[in-house]
Amino acid sequence: MFCKIINGDIPCSKVYEDDKILAFHDINPQAPVHCLIVPKVHIASADGIDETNADVVAEVFMAAPIIAKKLGLTRGYRIITNIGEDGCQSVKHIHFHLVGGRQLSETMA
Ligand code: AMP
């Protein structure tokens, strides 16, 4: 499904794009700012990261401060990636939630 957003077949509220990454606002935000950072290459989840594709993780974390600045997150933010059933991953294309815009909970699970 995120492949269709990347290809432009499904619209999104774009925040950032480069040749490796697309970031857009989550359709069901769980914080005042909730954006998804999505590598364009299709990898099912972070469980599929290996030596052939690990560069996309660095690309995501290099884009994150640019995105955070664009979204006015001067006080910090959190990046989360859900993996598999227990991790509550609903979309099987690797993505990183960038959430912020308020003091976040100290708990993570
Ligand atoms: P996850 O549960 O970690 O797989 O996260 C998937 C996220 O994608 C959820 O937070 C959804 O709200 C979000 N989502 C699903 N479809 C869309 C869409 N078309 N545009 C933006 N966000 C979406």
Side-chain angles (χ1 to χ4, degrees), residues 1-2 5 10-11 24-28 30 34 36 82 88-91 95 97:
M1 197 262 279
F2 285 171
I5 293 180
I10 295 178
F24 50 89
H25 291 288
D26 195 292
I27 205 165
N28 184 22
Q30 296 186 31
H34 184 172
L36 300 173
N82 294 327
C88 295
Q89 182 186 6
S90 62
V91 177
H95 55 280
H97 299 256

Side-chain angles (χ1 to χ4, degrees), residues 13-16 23-37 64-80 96-104:
S13 176
K14 193 189 296 184
V15 176
Y16 172 88
F24 50 89
H25 291 288
D26 195 292
I27 205 165
N28 184 22
Q30 296 186 31
V33 172
H34 184 172
C35 132
L36 300 173
I37 310 178
I66 299 168
I67 294 165
K69 197 172 176 189
K70 255 187 162 177
L71 297 174
L73 299 176
T74 54
R75 286 166 44 87
Y77 53 94
R78 181 173 291 161
I79 293 178
I80 301 152
F96 296 76
H97 299 256
L98 188 159
V99 290
R102 63 165 159 78
Q103 178 64 61
L104 297 171

Side-chain angles (χ1 to χ4, degrees), residues 31-93:
V33 172
H34 184 172
C35 132
L36 300 173
I37 310 178
V38 185
K40 290 184 175 178
V41 61
H42 185 84
I43 303 167
S45 78
D47 215 27
I49 294 293
D50 60 26
E51 62 281 356
T52 68
N53 59 24
D55 57 319
V56 299
V57 178
E59 299 285 346
V60 166
F61 280 88
M62 286 192 290
I66 299 168
I67 294 165
K69 197 172 176 189
K70 255 187 162 177
L71 297 174
L73 299 176
T74 54
R75 286 166 44 87
Y77 53 94
R78 181 173 291 161
I79 293 178
I80 301 152
T81 189
N82 294 327
I83 300 164
E85 207 174 325
D86 278 3
C88 295
Q89 182 186 6
S90 62
V91 177
K92 308 297 185 244
H93 181 127

